[in-house]
Amino acid sequence: MQHQLYRRLRNLALTLVTVAVVGASPAAMAADPETVSVGIGTRSLASLTFQMLDTDREILAKHDLKAGEFEFLNQNNCITALIGGQIDVCQHATTNGIDAVVNGADLRVIAATTAPITELILSSKVAERLGVTENDPIDVKLKALKGLRISALGLHEATLDLMLRSVGMSVADDVEAMKLSDPLAMMEGIRNGQIDAALWSVGSLNDLVADKSGIRLISIPRGDFPAAVGIPLMAVFVRGDWYEANKEKAQEIHDSVVDAVARLKTDPAAATAVKQKWHESVSDRIWSESVPEAIKVLYDDGAVSAQDWATLLDMNSRMTKADPQPAAYDKMVAEMARRQ
């Protein structure tokens, strides 16, 4: 059964063909390609950088990389396939990679891609009852969340906890955390009064704002809580043994990510091209509202500082109660992904 799962995952993997261009003839390069398989853990805007690499293959070509089809591996399958050796690179949520490491996996971060693109959508009815608006100071908005039923999962939950702690509150003590993973369920829960608010990636819950059943109370990309901007939501992971044997390839992938971010930030047509390939079903309204916010918090250097990584570990360990030391900065973050 496990073998069949891994075979399926491999069929859904991204293939990067790394070509040694110095001293190799075209015939030799075609005859003996070296492949690197990469999975993408989410279709959301959190994976915008890899979606850009898929859309504009010239970015990879600049770094002597030739890509096959970019395919989606859902959340836990991406890390599972990486650990099992069925893929070599996985772009995924940092907390999932950290959880794997503290449970014994040997993974490295070769690029940090984006700050939390997290926003909190609050039921309009609840907002009216509490007398809170999105224009209030952040401490007023956070204190208004006390006792509410809030859907938050993974780093979104950890980010909520970080924000609440700034006003002397916490997820564990002051809200009722609901761990939904489906944005449609979150939206229906808010409309039906089953939950009061939800944290998720920008754009996913925009229909609530559009039909006025919810308000965008807090947004990290909007700058509502600057302390969270250095904390990476997503990273590019490889196995430790692969990294030690393929540091040049890791650097090429890192550099490609940096170039993808630069393209998204400087060329308005780039995001449009990504939409056509990866998000065709998303309405133009939601896209135009969400993508500029997501692009704001992409990391120009593909890196994270030691201090921000330590904060991330602390945030995650508060949620999981696990010892974060196996995922320490100098152990898990590769040199190319360390911000000086």
Side-chain angles (χ1 to χ4, degrees):
M1 188 73 179
Q2 189 181 51
H3 177 72
Q4 292 176 344
L5 172 61
Y6 283 155
R7 183 186 300 169
R8 252 185 340 121
L9 290 172
R10 190 163 184 86
N11 288 340
L12 286 173
L14 151 74
T15 300
L16 291 173
V17 181
T18 304
V19 181
V21 295
V22 178
S25 69
M29 290 190 293
D32 189 29
E34 188 173 0
T35 61
V36 181
S37 297
V38 183
I40 301 177
T42 173
R43 282 192 180 275
S44 79
L45 293 179
S47 290
L48 194 57
T49 49
F50 266 61
Q51 293 164 12
M52 183 73 255
L53 291 176
D54 177 42
T55 303
D56 182 2
R57 303 303 182 87
E58 292 302 313
I59 298 173
L60 293 167
K62 173 184 172 182
H63 298 284
D64 302 326
L65 298 168
K66 181 180 178 183
E69 289 301 312
F70 280 51
E71 297 288 352
F72 167 62
L73 295 172
N74 70 11
Q75 298 284 349
N76 292 326
N77 286 346
C78 191
I79 292 292
T80 299
L82 179 65
I83 294 170
Q86 305 308 304
I87 58 176
D88 298 311
V89 183
C90 169
Q91 185 185 30
H92 200 41
T94 50
T95 49
N96 292 79
I98 289 168
D99 289 344
V101 168
V102 299
N103 283 287
D106 180 18
L107 302 180
R108 301 285 191 280
V109 169
I110 62 170
T113 58
T114 181
I117 57 173
T118 303
E119 60 183 11
L120 185 147
I121 305 299
L122 177 68
S123 162
S124 294
K125 292 180 180 178
V126 174
E128 184 177 1
R129 172 169 60 83
L130 296 174
V132 65
T133 75
E134 60 187 277
N135 296 319
D136 287 333
I138 185 63
D139 59 335
V140 171
K141 293 189 280 191
L142 289 168
K143 289 176 181 177
L145 302 179
K146 189 174 181 62
L148 298 188
R149 299 162 297 173
I150 303 176
S151 175
L153 189 66
L155 187 57
H156 296 300
E157 180 181 4
T159 302
L160 175 61
D161 189 67
L162 178 71
M163 292 190 291
L164 290 174
R165 287 182 179 278
S166 72
V167 293
M169 296 165 58
S170 70
V171 167
D173 296 333
D174 295 290
V175 302
E176 185 178 351
M178 317 288 286
K179 297 181 183 295
L180 301 177
S181 60
D182 182 359
L184 292 177
M186 296 177 205
M187 289 192 289
E188 287 309 302
I190 287 175
R191 289 186 179 115
N192 297 329
Q194 296 169 316
I195 61 174
D196 302 311
L199 270 80
W200 209 244
S201 299
V202 293
S204 301
L205 308 176
N206 273 22
D207 282 345
L208 291 173
V209 178
D211 66 17
K212 302 191 183 307
S213 55
I215 67 168
R216 185 173 288 103
L217 187 69
I218 299 172
S219 167
I220 301 300
R222 191 170 62 193
D224 292 352
F225 196 79
V229 173
I231 298 160
L233 170 70
M234 299 289 290
V236 180
F237 296 98
V238 297
R239 293 185 310 280
D241 61 339
W242 186 93
Y243 175 73
E244 293 300 330
N246 297 279
K247 289 185 178 180
E248 289 186 7
K249 296 188 195 75
Q251 184 68 59
E252 289 164 352
I253 295 169
H254 172 92
D255 293 346
S256 296
V257 168
V258 170
D259 285 352
V261 171
R263 176 76 186 280
L264 285 162
K265 288 191 173 185
T266 59
D267 182 0
T272 301
V274 171
K275 181 184 187 303
Q276 292 172 348
K277 184 155 191 178
W278 276 88
H279 302 277
E280 189 176 8
S281 62
V282 175
S283 73
D284 290 340
R285 175 186 58 79
I286 289 179
W287 186 259
S288 64
E289 292 172 352
S290 307
V291 171
E293 296 299 296
I295 290 176
K296 283 180 186 177
V297 289
L298 293 176
Y299 293 146
D300 294 331
D301 57 0
V304 57
S305 72
Q307 181 178 348
D308 286 327
W309 188 261
T311 301
L312 171 65
L313 292 183
D314 181 64
M315 291 165 58
N316 195 56
S317 64
R318 287 182 186 277
M319 300 293 101
T320 64
K321 311 305 180 186
D323 178 8
Q325 285 308 307
Y329 188 72
D330 59 348
K331 296 178 181 178
M332 190 172 176
V333 180
E335 290 185 8
M336 64 198 66
R338 297 178 186 176
R339 182 177 296 150
Q340 301 303 317

